[in-house]
Amino acid sequence: MDKQAPVRPDQVSGDIDQRELRAIFGRFATGVAVVTTNVGGELYGMTVNSFTSLSLDPPLVLFCVHSRSSFLAALDVGSTFTVNILSEQQTDISTLFASGSDRFLKVNSLPGLGRSPVLTAALAYLTCEVVREVEAGDHTIVIGRVADIGLLHRDGAPLVFFGGAMRKLRSHR
């Protein structure tokens, strides 16, 4: 298998319209999660739809965060974060953690491994240790090794982001 060098921003055509690209990205449905961390007693949290599993052996996940984010500034290799997977009833929590004000005063959470908040209403959670951060364009890819997991609500359906909006899955039975 041939390996290619990564594409640098100066190698990409300047003819791509960012609005059109955003619309195309919006045609790909993703799950929605809230990533949380606790640094020195200060709680951080943000809504993401860029979360994915990376490896089962070792157990790795990743999410992407804007490089100027205060959330990213709080993370270091070795620190912990928790990915809280949201249910279709949690659009309000998604909006809350995307907006940035008094987030943790308005949700129930418990301190998980490394004191990263676990949102008790989430479908499931994964608490991870940061093993690597990779700069990529205007974002940073945060890779974490899964250290703790929990399935909190077995019967819930996931919240989905599609076409620029939060959605519920429709049953096709």
Side-chain angles (χ1 to χ4, degrees):
M1 180 177 188
D2 290 340
K3 292 187 179 184
Q4 296 180 346
V7 176
R8 296 188 329 255
D10 62 342
Q11 294 173 320
V12 177
S13 169
D15 297 336
I16 296 176
D17 180 276
Q18 286 189 354
R19 287 175 300 192
E20 186 175 0
L21 182 60
R22 184 181 201 92
I24 290 169
F25 285 161
R27 304 315 298 162
F28 183 72
T30 65
V32 181
V34 168
V35 180
T36 59
T37 192
N38 181 336
V39 178
E42 189 169 352
L43 303 180
Y44 295 84
M46 61 181 254
T47 300
V48 300
N49 70 338
S50 62
F51 164 74
T52 190
S53 60
L54 181 59
S55 170
L56 290 174
D57 187 17
L60 299 174
V61 300
L62 68 80
F63 71 96
C64 301
V65 58
H66 198 281
S67 297
R68 292 187 313 240
S69 167
S70 60
F71 190 97
L72 179 62
L75 291 180
D76 288 316
V77 171
S79 61
T80 60
F81 64 89
T82 297
V83 178
N84 297 275
I85 300 170
L86 299 185
S87 77
E88 64 184 5
Q89 281 80 36
Q90 295 177 310
T91 301
D92 56 335
I93 292 175
S94 171
T95 302
L96 175 67
F97 279 85
S99 70
S101 58
D102 299 326
R103 297 170 178 133
F104 291 98
L105 297 176
K106 299 176 182 175
V107 296
N108 292 322
S109 66
L110 297 170
L113 189 66
R115 307 213 37 91
S116 290
V118 173
L119 304 183
T120 58
L123 288 175
Y125 72 90
L126 304 99
T127 299
C128 309
E129 179 182 332
V130 177
V131 294
R132 189 166 180 201
E133 294 179 349
V134 180
E135 291 183 25
D138 61 358
H139 278 65
T140 297
I141 302 164
V142 178
I143 301 172
R145 182 181 181 100
V146 179
D148 187 36
I149 58 174
L151 182 60
L152 301 174
H153 300 281
R154 200 171 285 282
D155 296 329
L159 183 60
V160 177
F161 187 75
F162 178 77
M166 300 298 166
R167 313 275 181 165
K168 295 180 181 182
L169 290 178
R170 286 189 235 149
S171 176
H172 293 285
R173 295 180 191 189

